[in-house]
Amino acid sequence: MSDRARGVMVAVSAVGTVIGLAGLSVLWTQPMPGWWFTAVFTVMIVVVLAGFWAAYLTSIARARRERDSARAWTTRCAGARMAAGRVTARDVALAESGGVSGFTLEVTPDAGPPLTARWHGGAERLLQTQVPDIGAPVRVWTADWMAVVEAGDPTVVA
């Protein structure tokens, strides 16, 4: 999630929390058709609010992991070793607009064990034709415990 999207998520979750708490107070302080009615709507409200906050916290954790990985790679990339490889499988996730929101590549380097590489889109979006196909050549850069897969855009002529 972008910073702007996270800000909107916090605002929506905060407003939703206030509305949810107001609804819960009405459920538990006013006469209702029965205890089951109060219990069902309490569970529904709590689950929806927990879902909003869980999505927000998950996006923060993911951003932190990506930032830490990028920082670690930057400090270790001087000793990285390059190996050629090929894409052996791919899985593409699409956004509602039809663009690529992320993809996963299974890569087999010429030297070393197979690995999985993931790309998650941010502000930039790709078309499906820009995702490397099975059999596409890649470069795998390894340094210590990290690996970076460099895959070219198949729609660009070099």
Side-chain angles (χ1 to χ4, degrees):
M1 245 192 263
S2 68
D3 290 341
R4 183 177 180 183
R6 271 196 295 275
V8 169
M9 189 70 183
V10 166
V12 167
S13 295
V15 168
T17 300
V18 170
I19 292 170
L21 291 174
L24 288 174
S25 70
V26 168
L27 279 172
W28 289 97
T29 59
Q30 302 299 317
M32 294 293 153
W35 67 268
W36 59 269
F37 184 89
T38 304
V40 166
F41 280 95
T42 297
V43 169
M44 285 176 30
I45 291 170
V46 168
V47 166
V48 168
L49 293 177
F52 277 118
W53 287 109
Y56 173 68
L57 295 174
T58 300
S59 75
I60 288 175
R62 176 187 237 170
R64 183 177 300 124
R65 266 194 322 272
E66 290 174 359
R67 189 174 48 251
D68 291 347
S69 292
R71 188 177 301 124
W73 177 255
T74 301
T75 60
R76 293 183 173 97
C77 70
R81 298 165 304 284
M82 192 274 289
R86 296 252 172 228
V87 176
T88 55
R90 75 178 197 161
D91 182 38
V92 180
L94 300 177
E96 290 179 7
S97 64
V100 175
S101 62
F103 61 88
T104 302
L105 300 176
E106 299 292 328
V107 175
T108 302
D110 293 342
L115 54 98
T116 302
R118 291 183 180 87
W119 179 84
H120 300 283
E124 69 282 348
R125 291 284 185 218
L126 297 178
L127 300 173
Q128 291 184 48
T129 56
Q130 293 175 293
V131 178
D133 280 327
I134 295 173
V138 296
R139 289 190 271 192
V140 179
W141 298 89
T142 55
D144 297 334
W145 53 273
M146 298 185 76
V148 171
V149 174
E150 182 181 354
D153 180 348
T155 62
V156 176
V157 177

